[in-house]
Amino acid sequence: MCIRDRRRVHGNEKQHEIDGQREELEVLKNQVSELESSKLAAQNEIQQLSSSHKQEIEKLNAELSKALHLSEEREKIINSKDEEIAWLSEKHKKELEEKLNDKESAVSYTHLRAHETRHDLVCRLLLEKKKKK
């Protein structure tokens, strides 16, 4: 084989090697393109999840805020009822003390008889019997 033929064969081999590298480069470019597309899709998905999580967190914060408000309102109601009970208790205590200190609060014989128990009745009848003798 002459030098020219060798150069041609060698040139063809080089061309074939270059063509193979170009094909590999194209494959790599396609793979990079697919990876970039996947990356963008993943970023979009992350943004959507992040946005939905933000919405869920906002809803939970709103519910928590509402629960805290209701708890505060409940505490206020309980405190006001406690104050009301204390006031009524004090009022009744004063009224009872006034009644006990009031010496003119006599009741009638009929009123006493209306509240008479079996034991009181026996005692009264025995006393009346003793008086008659």
mmCIF file of all heavy atoms in Angstrom, residues 21-41:
data_model
loop_
_atom_site.group_PDB
_atom_site.id
_atom_site.type_symbol
_atom_site.label_atom_id
_atom_site.label_comp_id
_atom_site.label_asym_id
_atom_site.label_seq_id
_atom_site.Cartn_x
_atom_site.Cartn_y
_atom_site.Cartn_z
ATOM 1 N N GLN A 21 -17.552 10.112 17.717
ATOM 2 C CA GLN A 21 -17.536 11.069 18.826
ATOM 3 C C GLN A 21 -18.680 12.076 18.680
ATOM 4 O O GLN A 21 -19.283 12.487 19.680
ATOM 5 C CB GLN A 21 -16.185 11.779 18.878
ATOM 6 C CG GLN A 21 -15.064 10.880 19.366
ATOM 7 C CD GLN A 21 -13.704 11.572 19.335
ATOM 8 O OE1 GLN A 21 -13.559 12.637 18.747
ATOM 9 N NE2 GLN A 21 -12.723 10.930 19.948
ATOM 10 N N ARG A 22 -18.983 12.454 17.432
ATOM 11 C CA ARG A 22 -20.112 13.378 17.204
ATOM 12 C C ARG A 22 -21.430 12.724 17.633
ATOM 13 O O ARG A 22 -22.286 13.366 18.229
ATOM 14 C CB ARG A 22 -20.182 13.790 15.738
ATOM 15 C CG ARG A 22 -19.188 14.822 15.363
ATOM 16 C CD ARG A 22 -19.396 15.314 13.955
ATOM 17 N NE ARG A 22 -18.361 16.288 13.628
ATOM 18 C CZ ARG A 22 -17.882 16.503 12.432
ATOM 19 N NH1 ARG A 22 -18.355 15.810 11.410
ATOM 20 N NH2 ARG A 22 -16.959 17.399 12.231
ATOM 21 N N GLU A 23 -21.575 11.450 17.302
ATOM 22 C CA GLU A 23 -22.779 10.728 17.690
ATOM 23 C C GLU A 23 -22.882 10.646 19.222
ATOM 24 O O GLU A 23 -23.949 10.862 19.792
ATOM 25 C CB GLU A 23 -22.784 9.319 17.088
ATOM 26 C CG GLU A 23 -23.063 9.289 15.612
ATOM 27 C CD GLU A 23 -22.954 7.881 15.037
ATOM 28 O OE1 GLU A 23 -22.841 6.908 15.823
ATOM 29 O OE2 GLU A 23 -22.988 7.758 13.798
ATOM 30 N N GLU A 24 -21.753 10.349 19.882
ATOM 31 C CA GLU A 24 -21.731 10.312 21.352
ATOM 32 C C GLU A 24 -22.088 11.677 21.930
ATOM 33 O O GLU A 24 -22.828 11.779 22.914
ATOM 34 C CB GLU A 24 -20.351 9.872 21.857
ATOM 35 C CG GLU A 24 -20.074 8.408 21.716
ATOM 36 C CD GLU A 24 -18.692 8.037 22.247
ATOM 37 O OE1 GLU A 24 -18.175 8.727 23.156
ATOM 38 O OE2 GLU A 24 -18.135 7.051 21.747
ATOM 39 N N LEU A 25 -21.577 12.745 21.273
ATOM 40 C CA LEU A 25 -21.867 14.109 21.716
ATOM 41 C C LEU A 25 -23.361 14.402 21.589
ATOM 42 O O LEU A 25 -23.965 14.989 22.491
ATOM 43 C CB LEU A 25 -21.037 15.103 20.911
ATOM 44 C CG LEU A 25 -21.170 16.575 21.291
ATOM 45 C CD1 LEU A 25 -20.720 16.792 22.728
ATOM 46 C CD2 LEU A 25 -20.366 17.446 20.362
ATOM 47 N N GLU A 26 -23.962 13.979 20.508
ATOM 48 C CA GLU A 26 -25.399 14.176 20.309
ATOM 49 C C GLU A 26 -26.203 13.418 21.373
ATOM 50 O O GLU A 26 -27.177 13.942 21.935
ATOM 51 C CB GLU A 26 -25.832 13.725 18.907
ATOM 52 C CG GLU A 26 -25.468 14.655 17.794
ATOM 53 C CD GLU A 26 -26.129 16.018 17.930
ATOM 54 O OE1 GLU A 26 -27.340 16.080 18.258
ATOM 55 O OE2 GLU A 26 -25.424 17.019 17.735
ATOM 56 N N VAL A 27 -25.784 12.185 21.654
ATOM 57 C CA VAL A 27 -26.458 11.389 22.681
ATOM 58 C C VAL A 27 -26.348 12.096 24.032
ATOM 59 O O VAL A 27 -27.321 12.220 24.783
ATOM 60 C CB VAL A 27 -25.864 9.952 22.747
ATOM 61 C CG1 VAL A 27 -26.345 9.219 23.987
ATOM 62 C CG2 VAL A 27 -26.207 9.182 21.481
ATOM 63 N N LEU A 28 -25.131 12.593 24.324
ATOM 64 C CA LEU A 28 -24.922 13.305 25.596
ATOM 65 C C LEU A 28 -25.770 14.584 25.654
ATOM 66 O O LEU A 28 -26.348 14.913 26.692
ATOM 67 C CB LEU A 28 -23.438 13.630 25.798
ATOM 68 C CG LEU A 28 -22.536 12.430 26.115
ATOM 69 C CD1 LEU A 28 -21.075 12.861 26.135
ATOM 70 C CD2 LEU A 28 -22.916 11.819 27.450
ATOM 71 N N LYS A 29 -25.836 15.315 24.514
ATOM 72 C CA LYS A 29 -26.667 16.526 24.465
ATOM 73 C C LYS A 29 -28.134 16.184 24.741
ATOM 74 O O LYS A 29 -28.826 16.890 25.474
ATOM 75 C CB LYS A 29 -26.546 17.213 23.108
ATOM 76 C CG LYS A 29 -25.281 17.991 22.929
ATOM 77 C CD LYS A 29 -25.272 18.668 21.557
ATOM 78 C CE LYS A 29 -24.004 19.435 21.313
ATOM 79 N NZ LYS A 29 -23.971 20.060 19.977
ATOM 80 N N ASN A 30 -28.613 15.083 24.150
ATOM 81 C CA ASN A 30 -29.996 14.653 24.371
ATOM 82 C C ASN A 30 -30.223 14.277 25.840
ATOM 83 O O ASN A 30 -31.251 14.616 26.421
ATOM 84 C CB ASN A 30 -30.354 13.467 23.465
ATOM 85 C CG ASN A 30 -30.500 13.872 22.018
ATOM 86 O OD1 ASN A 30 -30.760 15.034 21.717
ATOM 87 N ND2 ASN A 30 -30.307 12.924 21.115
ATOM 88 N N GLN A 31 -29.247 13.595 26.413
ATOM 89 C CA GLN A 31 -29.363 13.220 27.825
ATOM 90 C C GLN A 31 -29.389 14.465 28.717
ATOM 91 O O GLN A 31 -30.173 14.551 29.665
ATOM 92 C CB GLN A 31 -28.209 12.291 28.232
ATOM 93 C CG GLN A 31 -28.324 10.894 27.666
ATOM 94 C CD GLN A 31 -27.126 10.019 28.024
ATOM 95 O OE1 GLN A 31 -26.102 10.514 28.474
ATOM 96 N NE2 GLN A 31 -27.265 8.723 27.783
ATOM 97 N N VAL A 32 -28.534 15.438 28.415
ATOM 98 C CA VAL A 32 -28.507 16.693 29.177
ATOM 99 C C VAL A 32 -29.846 17.403 29.036
ATOM 100 O O VAL A 32 -30.410 17.910 30.016
ATOM 101 C CB VAL A 32 -27.335 17.598 28.722
ATOM 102 C CG1 VAL A 32 -27.487 19.006 29.253
ATOM 103 C CG2 VAL A 32 -26.005 17.002 29.149
ATOM 104 N N SER A 33 -30.387 17.425 27.833
ATOM 105 C CA SER A 33 -31.677 18.070 27.588
ATOM 106 C C SER A 33 -32.784 17.386 28.397
ATOM 107 O O SER A 33 -33.624 18.053 29.010
ATOM 108 C CB SER A 33 -31.986 18.032 26.093
ATOM 109 O OG SER A 33 -33.259 18.556 25.851
ATOM 110 N N GLU A 34 -32.771 16.048 28.411
ATOM 111 C CA GLU A 34 -33.766 15.304 29.186
ATOM 112 C C GLU A 34 -33.610 15.581 30.680
ATOM 113 O O GLU A 34 -34.606 15.750 31.399
ATOM 114 C CB GLU A 34 -33.628 13.802 28.911
ATOM 115 C CG GLU A 34 -34.113 13.381 27.545
ATOM 116 C CD GLU A 34 -33.827 11.915 27.256
ATOM 117 O OE1 GLU A 34 -33.382 11.191 28.179
ATOM 118 O OE2 GLU A 34 -34.049 11.497 26.102
ATOM 119 N N LEU A 35 -32.357 15.639 31.132
ATOM 120 C CA LEU A 35 -32.106 15.928 32.550
ATOM 121 C C LEU A 35 -32.575 17.331 32.926
ATOM 122 O O LEU A 35 -33.145 17.544 34.000
ATOM 123 C CB LEU A 35 -30.617 15.760 32.886
ATOM 124 C CG LEU A 35 -30.113 14.318 32.934
ATOM 125 C CD1 LEU A 35 -28.597 14.294 33.095
ATOM 126 C CD2 LEU A 35 -30.774 13.555 34.069
ATOM 127 N N GLU A 36 -32.357 18.291 32.041
ATOM 128 C CA GLU A 36 -32.819 19.659 32.304
ATOM 129 C C GLU A 36 -34.344 19.703 32.357
ATOM 130 O O GLU A 36 -34.924 20.379 33.207
ATOM 131 C CB GLU A 36 -32.276 20.616 31.241
ATOM 132 C CG GLU A 36 -30.812 20.926 31.414
ATOM 133 C CD GLU A 36 -30.255 21.820 30.308
ATOM 134 O OE1 GLU A 36 -30.948 22.037 29.276
ATOM 135 O OE2 GLU A 36 -29.125 22.298 30.471
ATOM 136 N N SER A 37 -34.994 18.961 31.463
ATOM 137 C CA SER A 37 -36.466 18.892 31.476
ATOM 138 C C SER A 37 -36.954 18.268 32.780
ATOM 139 O O SER A 37 -37.902 18.757 33.404
ATOM 140 C CB SER A 37 -36.982 18.072 30.301
ATOM 141 O OG SER A 37 -36.655 18.668 29.086
ATOM 142 N N SER A 38 -36.277 17.188 33.189
ATOM 143 C CA SER A 38 -36.647 16.539 34.451
ATOM 144 C C SER A 38 -36.426 17.477 35.632
ATOM 145 O O SER A 38 -37.230 17.533 36.559
ATOM 146 C CB SER A 38 -35.809 15.270 34.663
ATOM 147 O OG SER A 38 -36.085 14.323 33.664
ATOM 148 N N LYS A 39 -35.330 18.220 35.562
ATOM 149 C CA LYS A 39 -35.022 19.181 36.637
ATOM 150 C C LYS A 39 -36.116 20.244 36.724
ATOM 151 O O LYS A 39 -36.606 20.569 37.807
ATOM 152 C CB LYS A 39 -33.663 19.823 36.370
ATOM 153 C CG LYS A 39 -33.259 20.853 37.394
ATOM 154 C CD LYS A 39 -31.933 21.492 37.023
ATOM 155 C CE LYS A 39 -31.619 22.672 37.926
ATOM 156 N NZ LYS A 39 -30.406 23.364 37.502
ATOM 157 N N LEU A 40 -36.529 20.774 35.582
ATOM 158 C CA LEU A 40 -37.594 21.784 35.564
ATOM 159 C C LEU A 40 -38.906 21.216 36.083
ATOM 160 O O LEU A 40 -39.621 21.867 36.857
ATOM 161 C CB LEU A 40 -37.778 22.339 34.148
ATOM 162 C CG LEU A 40 -36.687 23.284 33.638
ATOM 163 C CD1 LEU A 40 -36.928 23.623 32.168
ATOM 164 C CD2 LEU A 40 -36.644 24.546 34.479
ATOM 165 N N ALA A 41 -39.214 19.996 35.676
ATOM 166 C CA ALA A 41 -40.448 19.352 36.144
ATOM 167 C C ALA A 41 -40.397 19.155 37.657
ATOM 168 O O ALA A 41 -41.375 19.408 38.368
ATOM 169 C CB ALA A 41 -40.657 18.017 35.439
#
